[in-house]
Amino acid sequence: MNEMNSTLLAAADTNLAPVYAEIFLLIAASAILLIDMFLKEGKRHLTYVLTLLAIFGCGVLTFADMSAGATVFTFNGMYVSDPMSNLLKLVTYVATAMTLVYSRQYTGDRAMMSGNLGGEFYVLALFSMLGQMIMISGNSMLSIYLGVELMSLSLYALVAMRRDHAISTEAAMKYFILGALSSGFLLYGMSMIYGATGSLNIDAINQVSSAAGANQNILVFGLVFVVAGLAFKLGVVPFHMWVPDVVQGAPTSVTLLLGGAPKLATFAMVIRLLVEGLPAMAFDWQQMLLVLAVLSLAVGNITAIAQTNIKRMLAYSTIAQMGFVVLGMMTGVVGGDSTNAAASYSAAMYYTITYVLTTVGSFGLIMMLARAGHEAETIADFKGLGKRSPWFAIVMTVLMFSLAGVPPMVGFMAKWAVLQAVANAGMVWLAVVAVLFSLVGAFYYLRIVKTIWFDEAVDTAPINTPADMRAVMSINGVAVVLLGIVPGWLLAVCYTTMQATLAK
């Protein structure tokens, strides 16, 4: 009788409404894979169209769920639909769709798939996005870890997709081995936290870890391994070893899938595990994040100066940019002020969203300059772009200015929001350190701008790209400027979202 009651209770708690988008995406990705098997070579563009339609369908379902405005738990509290999850999912859809638009010609020219525009690339991208959605809405260490593995396994396969390319294969091996190691750290840390609290549920972990009788030694031990796993996914120092090699070695289209939307999912995972799950141990993980942030700002910005490969330079740039994100997440718990916490976490969220928007455009332009038999991977490949294509030279200049934090681009407002949060937390010295390293970083971004406008072109071949790629790239560049000129609405959305998340 008790077993029957438990079964009925579990069934009653299984509300499928919050997971309609995930269910739809799973069905759509499976259907696209089957449809692609029967398409002839000349019809494979249909796979690309169906993939974008699947992402659009997810956006419609998530927006409908977002309009309800309520926080809903399902699957016995393992999954949650709240303002943060809905906002990050919508941005994930946009980033993934932009990535696929930018990648269409690149992947077809390089025959990365069976035939022109084969479905493997698109289906794996959809399954990676599904893993990110699960990570964003996970309210249990079990569901979060399942999302991590689904995303990671899809990305491992994508990095290794060019089987006849030695550098890509080497990058895939490095990514797989180090990724498996980081997953082991994360899983071991989660098992320690489970052993100390007796629960996998984030809310239950919060309650037990805050109680006086909790075993602090085991919790701290588990926390160290969890932070190490999270640091690897973010790509911050000293867990950054894989970033430059994988970003340089992977096909640029896959690099964009690695460096864009997954950062949003990792941000959500940090908020779920540390901020919502272990706020009682904030002092411990705050000190760890402080070290990670400063090291990332230093190593990322200084090492990027010496790079001549633009993908490798942007990889070290990513390490430094993630240092800023970690700064925002680290300062939110200082003093225990809920208003300060919401402002800090919203600044980190705003920085992550704007960084993803900018980096997607940057790698998109690298793919735009590439063509069959030629990779535009060195800084010298951008020489004379101002004469070859003035408009896209302007777009690349805007993106580099944004990454450098030059006003009025959105990157300036993102850095300002994080620095303000750090200063409000009473750590002015840390804000000064971040500014100094940002000045160092401005050098290598401005070097790209100088190359674009003042150096003579080495490659004078015409830039032939599909109309959809040119349109999205133009929108991307304009959005970076407009969000910098009118940043208030997105900042307000991020702040309201984090307030609702912290109050639930």
Side-chain angles (χ1 to χ4, degrees), residues 349-363:
M349 176 187 281
Y350 181 77
Y351 198 104
T352 307
I353 291 173
T354 55
Y355 162 77
V356 169
L357 175 67
T358 308
T359 199
V360 165
S362 302
F363 281 103

Side-chain angles (χ1 to χ4, degrees), residues 223-279:
L223 178 64
V224 171
F225 282 93
V226 167
V227 171
L230 294 173
F232 178 91
K233 298 303 179 186
L234 283 170
V236 293
V237 179
F239 303 94
H240 68 294
M241 296 81 68
W242 65 277
V243 177
D245 291 338
V246 174
V247 167
Q248 180 182 358
T252 308
S253 56
V254 177
T255 296
L256 192 44
L257 284 171
L258 280 168
K263 300 302 183 187
L264 299 164
T266 306
F267 169 83
M269 184 167 63
V270 174
I271 295 295
R272 301 292 186 204
L273 291 176
L274 300 185
V275 178
E276 295 185 4
L278 296 167

Side-chain angles (χ1 to χ4, degrees), residues 417-436:
V418 170
L419 292 173
Q420 191 175 37
V422 173
N424 290 339
M427 291 184 286
V428 177
W429 69 270
L430 187 55
V432 172
V433 169
V435 169
L436 292 176

Side-chain angles (χ1 to χ4, degrees), residues 32-216:
I32 290 170
L33 180 61
L34 291 173
I35 292 170
D36 182 77
M37 291 174 60
F38 298 98
L39 291 177
K40 296 181 180 179
E41 294 301 322
K43 300 289 185 180
R44 290 194 180 273
H45 62 276
L46 180 61
T47 305
Y48 166 74
V49 175
L50 290 175
T51 302
L52 293 183
L53 288 175
I55 296 174
F56 178 77
C58 291
V60 171
L61 292 171
T62 301
F63 186 78
D65 190 39
M66 188 178 189
S67 300
T71 297
V72 181
F73 295 90
T74 187
F75 297 113
N76 292 318
M78 293 178 62
Y79 212 76
V80 61
S81 171
D82 59 5
M84 183 182 79
S85 66
N86 289 327
L87 175 60
L88 290 179
K89 284 179 187 177
L90 289 175
V91 181
T92 298
Y93 304 151
V94 172
T96 305
M98 290 169 63
T99 298
L100 297 180
V101 171
Y102 293 154
S103 304
R104 179 163 71 99
Q105 184 179 45
Y106 181 93
T107 53
D109 287 346
R110 279 143 191 81
M112 284 172 57
M113 302 155 288
S114 54
N116 186 32
L117 293 178
E120 302 92 327
F121 176 79
Y122 297 106
V123 172
L124 285 170
L126 289 180
F127 278 115
S128 172
M129 191 177 79
L130 178 60
Q132 293 159 31
M133 294 163 67
I134 295 172
M135 290 167 63
I136 289 170
S137 284
N139 196 53
S140 165
M141 291 192 295
L142 177 60
S143 55
I144 290 173
Y145 188 77
L146 288 174
V148 169
E149 288 305 295
L150 177 56
M151 179 189 75
S152 299
L153 291 172
S154 301
L155 293 176
Y156 297 154
L158 282 165
V159 175
M161 187 165 281
R162 296 183 70 181
R163 294 183 294 273
D164 59 342
H165 196 269
I167 297 177
S168 293
T169 304
E170 179 187 356
M173 286 296 294
K174 289 178 180 177
Y175 187 38
F176 175 72
I177 292 171
L178 293 175
L181 184 64
S182 75
S183 294
F185 283 163
L186 188 62
L187 188 60
Y188 188 68
M190 287 178 171
S191 67
M192 290 293 101
I193 293 173
Y194 172 70
T197 62
S199 178
L200 295 170
N201 184 274
I202 298 297
D203 298 322
I205 291 171
N206 183 1
Q207 294 175 4
V208 176
S209 63
S210 301
N215 191 321
Q216 294 298 315

